Amino acid sequence: MESRNETEAIELSLIAPMYNEEEVVDHFFSAIEQCLGPAGIKYEIVCINDGSSDNTLKIITDYAHQYKHIKVLDLSRNFGKELALTAGIDYATGQAAIPIDCDLQDPPEVILEMYGKWREGYDVVLARRSNRDSDTFVKRNTSMLFYKLIDSMSEIHIPANVGDFRLLDRKALDALRMYPERSRFMKGLFASLGFKTAIVEYVRPARAAGETKWNYVKLYSLALEGILSFTSFPLKIWSYLGAAIAFSGFVYGIFTIVKTLYFGIDVPGYASLMVVLLFMSGLILISLGIIGEYLARIFIEVKGRPIYIVRSSVGFEGDVECVHGRNG
């Protein structure tokens, strides 16, 4: 690795959010150096410590003090991967940037393929998983369902089997920085940028060390955020559903009147009445819940709180040991 005393122009910024990754950080830095060092690519690694409770911050800070191309942002608490990634994008100084997981499930050798496409003139290069055999059956199928669902509802096409691992040219990065929202689904924001795009295929390996910090609850929350951030269809559907139920009620009312006129009055059953009441009450509560989800996001946006807060940084021009951040 290069010493901190050497100065070079930066072509690539690798943006690596980290949360309790002490077991894998050494492997990550070593793998990146072995891949990009011989290629002669001038790069930096922007490490974002997202409120880790282990030794992650100490390890990456020690590296940053020793090697000039390793830089550290220490967030004041755990903001979540989407906001940590936003901080890294804001502070990246390269001509292009690549968000990357430090668990090495985003193979460093794919960086060279994306770099090659970028040099050919593409502004965005997507790394798409050619298969998901390493995932569990449940995760594989729920992921497929999510992409089909959001693609059918949203005007923005979000490519399936493409995560945050991609290359973004400086033009795309500058455009992304103009997005002010605080509730962020980065895959959707990336997809909304446009620009000239290429795709490279890869097979995602298992983690190099440690355990994933994602669970099904977090994945569900992320999927919900994606749907609510990029389509208003869940709100609109209740207008159509309400109209359909009202029309059905009108037809049933006509049927009841005609039946009464010809066959007399009968006493409706208690069970059927309860079914209708419970069904309609359930629909009303679901619709209120969806409206509440959208209102909650409006509430978050109008408060105008910082997207993230940086407690300190190492390796950047004008390093700080005080609080700063971004307000959108």
Side-chain angles (χ1 to χ4, degrees):
M1 293 186 178
E2 302 159 353
S3 69
R4 286 191 60 84
N5 295 324
E6 300 177 8
T7 58
E8 296 174 331
I10 297 173
E11 290 182 282
L12 281 181
S13 295
L14 303 183
I15 303 171
M18 298 180 181
Y19 175 66
N20 291 345
E21 298 288 2
E22 63 178 1
E23 297 179 15
V24 77
V25 169
D26 291 328
H27 301 289
F28 172 68
F29 288 142
S30 177
I32 294 296
E33 174 60 24
Q34 290 176 18
C35 179
L36 299 188
I41 299 174
K42 312 308 178 186
Y43 69 96
E44 67 176 1
I45 304 176
V46 180
C47 304
I48 306 95
N49 178 51
D50 189 25
S52 297
S53 58
D54 61 2
N55 289 322
T56 298
L57 177 60
K58 181 181 184 306
I59 294 172
I60 60 179
T61 300
D62 289 343
Y63 272 100
H65 284 306
Q66 187 174 1
Y67 303 107
K68 75 173 187 67
H69 64 285
I70 297 177
K71 303 176 181 181
V72 175
L73 292 174
D74 179 28
L75 302 188
S76 62
R77 61 172 175 82
N78 178 251
F79 284 85
K81 184 181 178 181
E82 307 297 287
L83 300 188
L85 185 56
T86 300
I89 289 171
D90 287 345
Y91 281 81
T93 59
Q95 300 170 26
I98 299 178
I100 185 171
D101 291 341
C102 65
D103 57 14
L104 297 181
Q105 287 192 287
D106 297 335
E109 55 269 20
V110 180
I111 295 174
L112 298 179
E113 295 183 53
M114 292 193 286
Y115 177 82
K117 291 291 185 181
W118 176 58
R119 299 296 293 177
E120 291 176 15
Y122 290 96
D123 300 312
V124 177
V125 185
L126 308 179
R128 183 170 63 194
R129 298 174 63 174
S130 56
N131 67 70
R132 302 184 68 101
D133 292 342
S134 60
D135 289 340
T136 63
F137 175 83
V138 173
K139 185 176 181 181
R140 186 165 57 248
N141 284 275
T142 52
S143 175
M144 179 180 64
L145 178 62
F146 165 73
Y147 283 113
K148 287 183 177 180
L149 182 63
I150 196 170
D151 204 38
S152 65
M153 294 189 298
S154 176
E155 296 180 358
I156 302 296
H157 172 64
I158 300 178
N161 299 321
V162 176
D164 297 326
F165 189 40
R166 66 188 71 201
L167 182 145
L168 301 166
D169 182 76
R170 173 52 56 183
K171 294 191 293 291
L173 290 173
D174 290 341
L176 187 60
R177 287 174 175 171
M178 294 189 293
Y179 286 67
E181 57 256 48
R182 287 155 179 79
S183 298
R184 303 173 76 85
F185 179 65
M186 296 305 294
K187 295 178 184 64
L189 295 181
F190 290 146
S192 69
L193 293 174
F195 294 102
K196 186 178 180 181
T197 302
I199 297 175
V200 299
E201 304 274 352
Y202 78 105
V203 177
R204 200 175 202 207
R207 285 179 62 97
E211 297 180 355
T212 180
K213 308 306 180 295
W214 289 96
N215 53 43
Y216 286 111
V217 174
K218 291 182 178 179
L219 289 173
Y220 167 78
S221 298
L222 183 63
L224 182 63
E225 189 66 59
I227 292 173
L228 298 181
S229 296
F230 283 89
T231 178
S232 59
F233 182 78
L235 286 175
K236 295 177 181 177
I237 192 174
W238 296 104
S239 298
Y240 304 126
L241 187 59
I245 293 175
F247 178 76
S248 299
F250 175 77
V251 171
Y252 183 71
I254 296 297
F255 170 77
T256 302
I257 292 173
V258 173
K259 181 181 176 183
T260 302
L261 289 175
Y262 280 92
F263 301 102
I265 301 174
D266 59 352
V267 179
Y270 172 79
S272 60
L273 181 61
M274 287 302 299
V275 168
V276 172
L277 286 175
L278 292 174
F279 175 72
M280 294 304 301
S281 298
L283 286 181
I284 292 171
L285 289 175
I286 292 172
S287 64
L288 288 176
I290 292 177
I291 294 172
E293 290 285 352
Y294 280 96
L295 285 176
R297 282 153 181 78
I298 295 173
F299 179 62
I300 291 171
E301 296 296 330
V302 299
K303 284 188 294 187
R305 292 177 180 174
I307 294 178
Y308 59 82
I309 299 173
V310 177
R311 178 169 56 185
S312 62
S313 64
V314 178
F316 296 92
E317 183 177 350
D319 289 346
V320 298
E321 293 299 332
C322 60
V323 172
H324 58 112
R326 174 155 89 94
N327 287 309

